[in-house]
């Protein structure tokens, strides 16, 4: 009875909306490798590093597709304390770090924090079902998922036909726990404390899990409840230098002929906190030997509070050229000041001529949530046929309040650093461990009487999304011969998302608040002395090494209030303005997306020359229907009077795609196998890019071809598509020992880029600026991974082990960001992609002690072509490395204590323009020190 139930569970309990039968079989086989203590129904799963590596290895080895996995070392313990950070340990996965963790930037929430082989267009799955957040993108908010909810993560780099479409980079599947995963009762609780050294604050988490199985009169029933709450802190110190401009010849003694000096410097001082709440519940019912029913709920809530304070040069002047000859130099040296230069002519120290500064404060408060309800029935219909029916309802929201507040050293509108009374020289030195800058007149920056309050801003975002998905899969064992198994299924998904967002900015002068910022030059600005409570001292304590801006400076402050929005309204009231509290038609967009899917896979096996060959051939057919409803804004000129007319506007799209896949495995020996895989993938455009909102500008202002201008989203965008090829060689020489390698090639078509199309509205021709499918490219590379415990060593040394992996990725993409600029080459690598990356992890597990030291390194990469300071050039990031360490001691069979540290090497993040000799941004984050206590019964 138990044997058949476990076989049925392995076959259908994970064969959810994407058809995960093969993955489930691999998972079941993997779980048999976990160490367990024999008991009386109260068994405790004792995993640890060896067993978790063995489980992940078995998933990879036994799957009929290419997959890499991470498995939790113990209940509620992934190897990293952030889900995104855990993914960086997988070969071919690179992550972004923001605000002290693996995370995406707050202002670019639709850009995922992870890239698989350089592609961020990766499908996110939760227990095999498609999930996404309501941010306006396609990705699930991985940083909002407490890792304590997960039993493991699988990365499919060449996704076959049975996996839900949506990623050209592959698919990332988050696995949660179910009660039938363990033999009996499990009770586990973990309490954790963290210290963040730069912000000098504490955080922590508490989590608990209860799971049990019961034999009843109606069959076996399993119950599981898992919950976690955590809070973390961060501080991010940043200094921007430049960009650099030509130094005026003859103004710097001993300067090289190609001397370049920075236009100015900017401080950013970023701090905040995150809170995560996660709950997972599952009920499983083995009604009889043939039927398994599983109901699950996963709910997550995420809060992110950020205070971003910036101190920046605001000189309002630029270089001047006459007949191609430069006549004015905005980058100006202080006459007679000493300078040093590097070999490429960029200044490394010196003093810049007097500049004027402004300082901005942009507070942001985000709260989001996701609730995923699923119901699954697996039925052994006949001896050979298995049927699976799955229902999913996903509901999420994404809310954010933002504000802006600027205080300035300008006293009147229209001033520049050449005409304001409040300017000072800037002293800089970029040669040491930390960059330094100061000013020649420190009192100017820290005296409130010198400042005014010229600008305020407010922004609201309220997004909602939900999905209903129905799936029906069937599996038929053919038995014998070339054809082994037939698998097929259908899926229907109905997605809807409401995007709501405002932006409201106001200039403030003696004439009052002005949204058009049209006050005449020379109009007095409002002095800070009128509201002295609107400033605070800066920078933060020990900012960088405490040797910059030693005289201090001022940041904006907000009046007291309960949350960002209340503080914003209080600021507006002080300055005689009003926030934008309601959404107007231009702030709204509603979309629906319905997909109809049918897929089929034929699994085969045969012997060729003594080598066992198996695999699957499949196809996935998808029909997608979309609608997008927004508004059109037309500028109307009537009798010399200009007005804007708003009308509802909707558009849609429909397309059908076929996604074939082929997987082949050659089992040359019991330990050595090779694979070939081909698949075609697609990734749909983000929801915010599919918006319909259309703005028709003045119809009387025409280009040379007689067209007026307009701008819009593009609901008719086609999905990005890719053809993916993989070849691997895999040697599994021990239960947790392997050496694997692979070659891959991807050809991607339809990258999105800014572009134009011509359209006729109201009888007039318009050239519409929008997003288009314009970029194509290739991604190719190699991966190698090795892991082993050195059991053959004597005594205590036999607990030593190692994990190592290396990835080489070469990419070339035409016009990846759509920036038509002569400073950029016609082809560039993918953004955020390092050509070289590796992980080297030292392991130790012997007796009660488990330890790990992890070194992650990635080479330089193209960061962006549109970033602040890039000035039309490509912006790159220097190589980055992180050293993390942890140790855990089992005090007895139930209690364990552990300690860990992240970013032990306190590494500096550095970006640059074109060449490392021209630095742009320096950034430091917290080191995170953790101590935890875990009890499992």
């Amino acid at each position: 009875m138990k044997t058949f139930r476990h076989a049925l569970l392995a076959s259908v309990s994970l064969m959810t909306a994407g058809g995960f039968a093969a993955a489930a079989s691999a998972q079941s086989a993997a779980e048999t490798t976990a160490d367990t203590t024999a008991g009386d129904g109260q068994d405790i799963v004792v995993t640890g590093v060896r067993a978790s590596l063995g489980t992940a290895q078995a998933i990879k080895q036994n799957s009929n597709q290419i997959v890499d996995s991470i498995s939790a070392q113990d209940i509620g313990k992934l190897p990293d304390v952030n889900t995104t950070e855990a993914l960086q340990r997988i070969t071919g996965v690179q992550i972004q770090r923001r605000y002290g963790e693996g995370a995406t930037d707050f202002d670019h929430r639709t850009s995922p924090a992870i890239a698989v082989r350089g592609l961020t267009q990766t499908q996110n799955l939760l227990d095999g079902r498609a999930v996404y957040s309501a941010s306006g993108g396609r990705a699930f908010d991985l940083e909002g998922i407490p890792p304590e909810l997960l039993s493991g993560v699988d990365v499919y780099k060449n996704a076959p036909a049975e996996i839900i479409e949506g990623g050209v980079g592959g698919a990332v599947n988050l696995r949660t726990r179910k009660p039938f995963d363990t033999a009996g009762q499990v009770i586990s609780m973990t309490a954790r404390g963290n210290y963040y050294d730069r912000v000098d604050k504490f955080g922590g988490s508490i989590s608990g899990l209860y799971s049990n199985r019961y034999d009843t009169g109606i069959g076996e029933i399993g119950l599981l409840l898992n919950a976690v709450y955590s809070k973390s802190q961060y501080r991010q110190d940043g200094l921007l230098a430049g960009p650099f401009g030509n130094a005026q010849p003859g103004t710097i003694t001993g300067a090289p002929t190609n001397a370049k000096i920075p236009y100015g410097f900017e401080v950013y001082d970023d701090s905040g906190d995150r809170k995560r709440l996660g709950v997972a519940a599952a009920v499983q019912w083995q009604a009889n030997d043939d039927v398994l029913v599983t109901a699950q709920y996963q709910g997550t809530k995420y809060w992110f509070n950020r205070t971003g304070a910036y101190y920046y040069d605001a000189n309002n002047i630029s270089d001047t050229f006459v007949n191609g000859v430069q006549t004015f130099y905005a980058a100006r040296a202080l006459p007679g000041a000493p300078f040093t230069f590097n070999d490429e002519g960029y200044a490394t120290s010196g003093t810049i001529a007097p500049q004027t500064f402004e300082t901005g404060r942009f507070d942001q408060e985000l709260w989001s949530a996701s609730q995923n309800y699923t119901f699954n029935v697996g039925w052994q219909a006949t001896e050979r046929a298995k049927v699976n029916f799955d229902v999913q309802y996903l509901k999420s929201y994404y809310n954010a309040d933002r504000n802006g507040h600027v205080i300035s050293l300008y006293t009147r509108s229209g001033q520049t650093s050449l005409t304001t009374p409040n300017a000072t020289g800037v002293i800089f030195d970029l040669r040491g461990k930390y960059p330094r800058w100061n000013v020649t007149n420190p009192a100017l920056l820290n005296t409130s009487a010198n400042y005014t309050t010229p600008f305020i801003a407010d922004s609201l975002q309220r997004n909602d999304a939900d999905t209903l998905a129905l799936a029906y899969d069937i599996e038929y064992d053919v038995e014998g011969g070339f054809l082994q198994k037939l698998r097929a299924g259908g899926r229907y998904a109905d997605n809807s998302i409401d995007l709501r967002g405002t932006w409201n900015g106001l200039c403030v002068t003696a004439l009052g608040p002005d949204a058009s910022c049209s006050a005449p030059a020379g109009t007095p600005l409002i002095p800070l002395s009128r509201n002295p409570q609107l400033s605070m001292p800066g920078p933060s304590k020990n900012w960088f090494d405490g040797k910059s801006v030693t005289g201090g400076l001022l940041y904006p402050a907000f009046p007291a209030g309960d949350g960002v929005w209340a503080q914003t309204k209080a600021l507006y009231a002080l300055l005689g303005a009003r926030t934008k509290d309601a959404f107007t038609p231009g702030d709204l967009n509603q979309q629906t997306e319905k997909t109809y899917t049918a897929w089929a896979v034929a699994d085969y096996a045969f012997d060729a020359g003594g080598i066992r060959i198996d695999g699957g051939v499949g196809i996935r057919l998808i029909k997608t229907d979309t609608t997008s409803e927004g508004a059109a804004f037309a500028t109307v000129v009537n009798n010399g009077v200009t007005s804007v007319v708003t009308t509802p506007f909707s558009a849609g799209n429909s397309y059908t795609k076929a996604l074939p896949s082929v997987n082949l495995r050659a089992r040359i020996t019991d330990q050595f196998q090779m694979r070939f895989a081909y698949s075609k993938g697609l990734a749909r455009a983000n929801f915010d890019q599919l918006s319909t909102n259309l703005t028709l500008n003045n119809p009387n202002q025409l280009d040379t071809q007689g067209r007026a201008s307009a701008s819009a989203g593009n609901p008719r965008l086609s999905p990005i598509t890719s053809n993916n090829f993989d070849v691997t060689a895999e040697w599994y020489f021990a239960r947790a020992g392997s050496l694997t390698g692979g070659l891959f090639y991807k050809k991607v078509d339809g990258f999105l880029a800014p572009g134009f199309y011509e359209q006729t509205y109201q009888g007039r021709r318009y050239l519409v600026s929008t997003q288009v499918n314009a970029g194509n490219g290739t991604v190719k590379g190699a991966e190698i991974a090795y892991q082993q415990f050195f059991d053959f060593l004597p005594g205590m040394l036999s607990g030593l082990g190692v994990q190592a992996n290396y990835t080489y990725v070469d990419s070339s993409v035409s016009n990846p960001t759509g920036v038509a600029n002569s400073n950029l080459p016609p082809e560039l690598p993918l953004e955020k992609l390092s050509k070289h990356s590796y992980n080297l992890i030292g392991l130790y597990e012997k007796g009660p002690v488990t330890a790990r030291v992890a070194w992650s390194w990635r080479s330089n990469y193209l960061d962006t072509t549109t970033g602040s300071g890039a000035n039309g050039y490509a912006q790159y990031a220097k190589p980055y490395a992180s050293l993390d360490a942890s140790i855990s001691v089992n005090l007895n069979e139930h209690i364990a204590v552990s300690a860990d540290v992240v970013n032990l090497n306190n590494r500096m993040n550095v970006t640059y323009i074109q060449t490392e000799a021209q630095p742009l941004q320096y950034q430091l984050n917290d080191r995170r020190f953790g101590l935890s206590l875990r009890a499992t019964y």
Side-chain angles (χ1 to χ4, degrees):
M1 181 74 71
K2 290 281 187 180
T3 301
F4 188 86
R5 289 179 183 179
H6 282 283
L8 180 62
L9 173 62
S11 298
V12 300
S13 69
L14 287 179
M15 193 175 73
T16 58
F20 266 61
S25 298
Q27 171 72 7
S28 179
E31 287 170 349
T32 65
T33 68
D35 297 329
T36 59
T37 58
D40 56 359
Q42 303 296 315
D43 300 346
I44 299 172
V45 178
V46 184
T47 59
V49 174
R50 290 175 188 254
S52 67
L53 294 182
T55 299
Q57 178 175 298
I59 292 173
K60 180 179 179 70
Q61 180 179 5
N62 297 321
S63 176
N64 68 351
Q65 52 206 274
I66 296 175
V67 59
D68 287 286
S69 295
I70 305 169
S71 291
Q73 296 175 22
D74 210 334
I75 302 295
K77 193 175 188 303
L78 275 178
D80 293 270
V81 295
N82 173 294
T83 302
T84 303
E85 290 174 3
L87 282 164
Q88 73 178 316
R89 313 299 178 190
I90 291 181
T91 313
V93 177
Q94 295 176 355
I95 71 169
Q96 297 300 306
R97 290 182 177 272
R98 294 291 186 272
Y99 319 119
E101 292 187 9
T104 191
D105 186 78
F106 186 98
D107 296 316
H108 303 90
R109 299 295 289 181
T110 59
S111 299
I114 68 165
V116 180
R117 293 172 172 173
L119 295 166
T120 58
Q121 298 86 2
T122 300
Q123 175 66 293
N124 294 153
L125 307 168
L126 184 60
D127 290 325
R129 305 173 180 93
V131 288
Y132 64 96
S133 73
S135 66
R138 293 283 179 173
F140 201 45
D141 202 350
L142 294 179
E143 66 189 86
I145 302 254
E148 293 87 346
L149 292 185
L150 303 180
S151 65
V153 184
D154 307 315
V155 177
Y156 299 88
K157 300 172 183 175
N158 196 323
E162 63 262 36
I163 291 181
I164 298 172
E165 77 286 346
V168 292
V172 175
N173 181 44
L174 309 177
R175 285 185 277 113
T176 63
R177 298 180 183 275
K178 291 183 284 296
F180 284 2
D181 290 347
T182 52
Q185 177 176 279
V186 176
I187 301 174
S188 180
M189 293 194 67
T190 301
R192 176 183 179 83
N194 292 322
Y195 172 71
Y196 307 86
D197 70 337
R198 190 158 294 277
V199 72
D200 192 24
K201 290 184 178 180
F202 290 90
S205 65
I206 184 168
S207 63
L209 177 142
Y210 174 79
S211 178
N212 208 349
R213 302 167 67 154
Y214 308 89
D215 285 315
T216 72
I218 58 172
E220 186 177 17
I221 294 177
L223 300 175
L224 179 145
L225 179 64
N226 192 6
V228 57
Y229 173 79
S230 66
K231 183 175 182 179
S232 61
Q233 309 279 351
Y234 81 90
R235 197 181 93 197
Q236 186 170 276
D237 297 354
L239 174 68
L240 274 75
F244 286 69
N246 295 322
Q248 186 172 4
T251 59
I252 303 174
T253 303
T257 56
N258 62 337
K260 294 182 182 296
I261 62 175
Y263 286 93
F265 286 83
E266 176 181 336
V267 168
Y268 73 92
D269 206 337
D270 212 322
S271 62
D273 64 77
R274 299 175 172 92
K275 292 183 289 186
R276 299 176 175 93
L277 173 66
V279 176
V283 178
Q284 291 187 284
W285 174 33
Q286 188 83 59
N288 55 50
D289 289 351
D290 299 326
V291 178
L292 174 66
V293 179
T294 302
Q296 291 177 269
Y297 167 81
Q298 297 104 3
T300 62
K301 286 190 175 182
Y302 181 51
W303 298 265
F304 180 40
N305 298 294
R306 176 190 180 200
T307 296
Y310 302 82
Y311 204 90
Y312 52 92
D313 60 284
N315 297 306
N316 303 326
I317 55 175
S318 59
D319 297 325
T320 302
F321 293 84
V322 177
N323 297 324
V325 178
Q326 189 165 3
T327 60
F328 181 82
Y329 296 81
R332 297 174 297 136
L334 188 70
F339 274 76
T340 61
F341 296 86
N342 57 34
D343 292 341
E344 297 183 43
Y346 293 94
T348 55
S349 68
T351 304
I352 304 173
Q355 298 198 334
T356 297
F357 291 91
E358 290 183 337
T359 171
R361 168 98 174 264
F362 301 92
D363 288 3
Q364 300 167 324
E365 185 177 5
L366 160 70
W367 63 106
S368 62
S370 174
Q371 298 187 84
N372 191 44
Y373 304 84
T374 62
F375 180 77
N376 181 276
V377 179
W379 175 37
Q380 185 79 38
T382 70
E383 185 177 345
R384 295 187 180 184
K386 301 171 186 176
V387 176
N388 187 71
F389 176 70
D390 194 87
V391 181
Q392 175 195 14
Y393 178 67
L394 173 68
K395 184 175 182 61
S396 61
Y397 65 76
Y398 182 94
N399 299 335
D401 292 347
R402 301 172 180 147
N403 60 27
H405 178 202
V406 172
I407 63 175
S408 175
L409 288 173
Y410 287 112
T411 59
R412 295 177 179 272
S413 62
Q415 287 178 333
T416 72
S417 64
L418 302 178
T419 60
T420 179
N422 295 329
T424 178
V426 174
I427 308 164
F428 69 95
D429 191 339
L430 308 179
R431 295 172 296 179
K433 179 180 178 181
Y434 297 128
R436 300 182 185 180
W437 78 278
N438 270 299
V439 295
T440 56
N441 181 10
L444 177 68
L445 305 190
N446 60 32
T447 303
S448 61
N450 298 327
Y451 288 87
T452 58
T453 55
F455 184 78
I456 53 177
D458 62 274
S459 174
L460 290 174
Q461 188 172 1
R462 299 289 186 269
N463 295 349
D464 293 292
D466 59 52
T467 294
L468 174 65
L470 308 175
Y472 181 84
D473 305 329
I474 187 168
E475 177 183 314
Y476 184 78
D477 291 324
V478 178
E479 291 190 357
F482 172 83
L483 191 62
Q484 297 287 302
K485 186 182 296 182
L486 295 174
R487 294 180 285 130
R491 180 175 182 267
Y492 166 76
D494 186 351
N495 300 314
S496 65
I497 185 166
D498 288 290
L499 304 177
R500 311 177 188 94
T502 68
W503 170 255
N504 180 39
L506 301 171
C507 289
V508 181
T509 69
L511 300 178
D514 176 18
S516 65
C517 296
S518 58
T523 303
L525 303 178
I526 303 298
L528 178 62
S529 58
R530 185 177 301 177
N531 301 289
Q533 72 275 29
L534 297 183
S535 70
M536 56 184 261
S540 294
K541 180 181 177 182
N542 200 36
W543 182 80
F544 272 84
D545 60 352
K547 297 180 180 179
S548 290
V549 287
T550 53
L553 45 80
L554 294 183
Y555 291 142
F558 287 90
D562 185 12
V564 165
W565 199 247
Q567 294 173 354
T568 307
K569 294 184 76 66
L571 171 68
Y572 273 56
L574 274 177
L575 298 177
R578 297 181 63 183
T579 55
K580 184 177 181 181
D581 297 322
F583 297 107
T584 56
D587 303 324
L588 305 174
N589 178 245
Q590 183 180 58
Q591 297 181 40
T592 62
E593 180 179 270
K594 297 182 179 181
T595 60
Y596 309 84
T597 306
W599 64 271
V601 175
D603 294 329
Y604 61 87
F606 62 94
D607 292 320
I611 298 174
R612 185 66 172 173
I613 308 293
D614 62 12
V617 177
I619 191 166
R620 189 174 189 90
L621 302 174
I622 312 108
K623 184 178 188 298
T624 304
D625 294 327
T626 67
T627 62
S628 182
E629 298 181 358
F633 308 91
T635 300
V636 177
V637 181
N638 190 7
N639 295 325
V641 178
T642 302
S643 60
V644 177
V645 177
T646 303
T647 57
F649 182 73
S650 64
N653 197 10
S654 181
Y655 51 86
T656 301
K657 299 289 183 180
L659 306 179
S661 67
V662 177
N663 279 276
L664 182 148
R665 173 173 55 176
R667 301 188 190 187
I668 299 171
T669 70
D670 289 342
Q671 294 182 323
F672 182 73
Q673 62 189 31
M674 297 185 70
R675 298 179 188 268
F676 167 78
Y678 163 76
S679 70
K680 187 168 185 177
L682 68 78
R684 299 178 178 92
N686 287 339
F687 292 108
D688 61 345
Q689 295 168 322
L690 297 171
S691 169
T692 47
N693 288 344
L694 169 67
T695 300
L696 304 177
N697 297 324
N698 193 325
N700 297 325
Q701 297 177 355
L702 307 179
D703 63 13
T704 56
Q705 299 184 40
R707 301 170 299 191
S709 64
S711 61
N714 190 353
R716 298 180 180 87
L717 287 169
S718 298
I720 304 169
T721 59
S722 65
N723 286 282
N724 316 300
F725 301 85
D726 275 81
V727 177
T728 71
E730 305 164 12
W731 179 30
Y732 301 98
F733 52 81
R735 188 174 63 84
S738 61
L739 176 63
T740 62
L743 303 174
F744 57 87
Y745 175 83
K746 291 177 179 285
K747 187 178 186 304
V748 186
D749 297 319
F751 282 116
L752 302 183
F756 300 89
Y757 67 88
E758 186 177 307
Q759 190 76 34
T760 300
Y761 298 101
Q762 301 168 344
R764 292 183 179 271
R765 294 165 58 216
Y766 286 85
L767 185 64
V768 184
S769 172
T770 187
Q771 290 277 314
V772 296
N773 296 101
N776 303 318
T778 59
V779 182
K780 57 188 175 182
E783 299 172 346
I784 187 169
Y786 163 70
Q787 67 180 29
Q788 182 178 12
F789 274 92
F790 304 117
D791 302 300
F792 54 85
L793 294 176
M796 299 296 291
L797 295 179
S798 62
L800 290 172
V802 66
Q803 274 186 293
N805 60 59
Y806 165 76
T807 303
Y808 168 80
V809 187
D810 185 29
S811 64
S812 179
V813 179
S814 62
N815 200 20
T817 60
V819 178
N821 190 306
S822 60
N823 295 327
L824 296 175
E827 292 192 345
L828 284 167
L830 286 167
E831 291 187 1
K832 315 300 183 185
L833 171 63
S834 292
K835 183 173 284 190
H836 305 275
S837 62
Y838 68 84
N839 290 280
L840 181 60
I841 303 172
L843 304 170
Y844 185 82
E845 186 172 67
K846 191 72 174 178
V849 178
T850 299
R852 185 183 74 145
V853 177
W855 174 263
S856 296
W857 181 89
R858 59 184 300 185
S859 63
N860 59 356
Y861 58 88
L862 174 65
D863 188 44
T864 182
T865 56
T866 58
S868 173
N871 201 27
Y873 291 91
Q875 176 178 315
Y876 292 87
K878 290 182 68 174
Y880 178 81
S882 177
L883 179 63
D884 308 330
S886 64
I887 184 169
S888 178
V889 179
N890 295 324
L891 302 181
N892 55 45
E893 63 178 327
H894 298 296
I895 307 296
V897 295
S898 61
D900 60 78
V901 58
V902 175
N903 188 28
L904 183 61
N905 56 328
N906 200 27
R907 185 65 172 249
M908 177 89 71
N909 294 294
V910 182
T911 60
Y912 59 91
I913 304 298
Q914 290 188 296
T915 169
E916 292 188 25
Q918 185 182 185
L920 174 66
Q921 176 179 291
Y922 301 85
Q923 184 187 103
L924 281 173
N925 290 291
D926 298 276
R927 283 176 293 187
R928 185 170 73 226
F929 300 87
L931 183 66
S932 65
L933 175 68
R934 185 173 66 255
T936 304
Y937 294 88

